[in-house]
Amino acid sequence: SQQGEEDPQALSIQEGENATMNCSYKTSINNLQWYRQNSGRGLVHLILIRSNEREKHSGRLRVTLDTSKKSSSLLITASRAADTASYFCATDANLGVGQNFVFGPGTRLSVLP
Amino acid sequence: GAVVSQHPSWVICKSGTSVKIECRSLDFQATTMFWYRQFPKQSLMLMATSNEGSKATYEQGVEKDKFLINHASLTLSTLTVTSAHPEDSSFYICSPLRVYNEQFFGPGTRLTVL
């Protein structure tokens, strides 16, 4: 099964509202990353949070990490129509042969004008 | 950040033909390359892991004879989809590993098999 599981799978909000997406994972991690993917396009790296960090900010993005609950959240404040995309969390699955990030199924965010 | 390129960015081919996808890390060397596949509205699924100069390790359910991976140099890896069929239509994304814990992603190649 997937290491990362995003919740909700789909989210629709009005422009200007905040959007919160959650990610849960199963095993211990070294770091967790959030990515955005516009329809039919490649991945865009948003933010990396390490296991010893609890919160990070980048512009309108705020990511939290709770290792005791094995969960992370991505908050987008003052959303814009351009934020419409799929958002994935990816956790390092430290397989011992380099590293590999395991992606969750993603949250499809729709920001309505 | 690191620059990763894929070529082609999209390709349409007839069923039964083979398609080669190139992935280059333009400003760093990658000893390890991951290849992912993404079907519409789904997440990325790891297909295989390759180390430069070695045979690739394939994930369960991925046919090694169908998806040929060559990682001949530290800056170039190729994925060849042999005898492609419509069910192989997908978005293929390479991901080179720069150093331990720094993984980057290519822009992806959209394959459509008619």
Side-chain angles (χ1 to χ4, degrees):
Chain A
S1 60
Q2 294 270 14
Q3 163 79 323
E5 294 282 344
E6 289 91 349
D7 167 52
Q9 292 193 0
L11 178 63
S12 185
I13 60 174
Q14 294 293 131
E15 205 166 23
E17 294 180 340
N18 296 341
T20 300
M21 289 160 272
N22 302 299
C23 168
S24 60
Y25 56 93
K26 295 182 174 63
T27 65
S28 61
I29 60 172
N30 294 320
N31 63 68
L32 183 147
Q33 300 185 29
W34 283 91
Y35 288 84
R36 183 185 72 218
Q37 185 180 37
N38 290 79
S39 180
R41 307 292 293 275
L43 296 168
V44 174
H45 182 263
L46 295 178
I47 202 163
L48 179 151
I49 186 165
R50 301 192 189 282
S51 60
N52 61 352
E53 298 175 312
R54 291 297 167 259
E55 186 172 311
K56 285 190 81 169
H57 296 256
S58 177
R60 295 184 294 113
L61 306 180
R62 181 170 75 96
V63 169
T64 62
L65 178 64
D66 187 335
T67 53
S68 66
K69 295 181 180 179
K70 291 186 170 58
S71 68
S72 173
S73 68
L74 169 66
L75 169 66
I76 303 174
T77 60
S79 64
R80 306 166 181 169
D83 295 328
T84 295
S86 289
Y87 291 83
F88 297 92
C89 71
T91 53
D92 65 313
N94 199 352
L95 303 175
V97 182
Q99 286 227 10
N100 160 236
F101 288 96
V102 181
F103 286 86
T107 293
R108 294 189 303 280
L109 173 66
S110 298
V111 181
L112 307 174
Chain B
V3 180
V4 182
S5 71
Q6 275 186 242
H7 177 79
S9 56
W10 60 270
V11 57
I12 300 173
C13 69
K14 292 183 178 180
S15 186
T17 61
S18 295
V19 175
K20 179 185 283 189
I21 301 170
E22 290 187 351
C23 174
R24 294 179 186 273
S25 52
L26 300 182
D27 57 352
F28 67 96
Q29 294 181 329
T31 55
T32 300
M33 181 73 73
F34 302 104
W35 283 93
Y36 292 84
R37 179 169 55 184
Q38 184 184 33
F39 292 106
K41 297 185 179 181
Q42 294 187 28
S43 187
L44 283 74
M45 296 297 294
L46 180 66
M47 297 176 65
T49 302
S50 73
N51 292 298
E52 185 259 341
S54 303
K55 289 184 178 180
T57 301
Y58 291 80
E59 295 298 302
Q60 192 173 8
V62 179
E63 300 175 58
K64 63 178 182 180
D65 294 329
K66 182 171 185 62
F67 298 99
L68 303 180
I69 292 173
N70 185 294
H71 192 172
S73 79
L74 293 173
T75 59
L76 172 65
S77 176
T78 61
L79 168 68
T80 300
V81 183
T82 62
S83 187
H85 290 284
E87 57 265 31
D88 298 324
S89 297
S90 188
F91 197 52
Y92 293 88
I93 301 169
C94 68
S95 179
L97 186 71
R98 180 164 70 179
V99 294
Y100 191 73
N101 206 32
E102 288 193 357
Q103 186 176 352
F104 300 93
F105 293 87
T109 296
R110 180 163 300 285
L111 170 64
T112 301
V113 184
L114 303 177

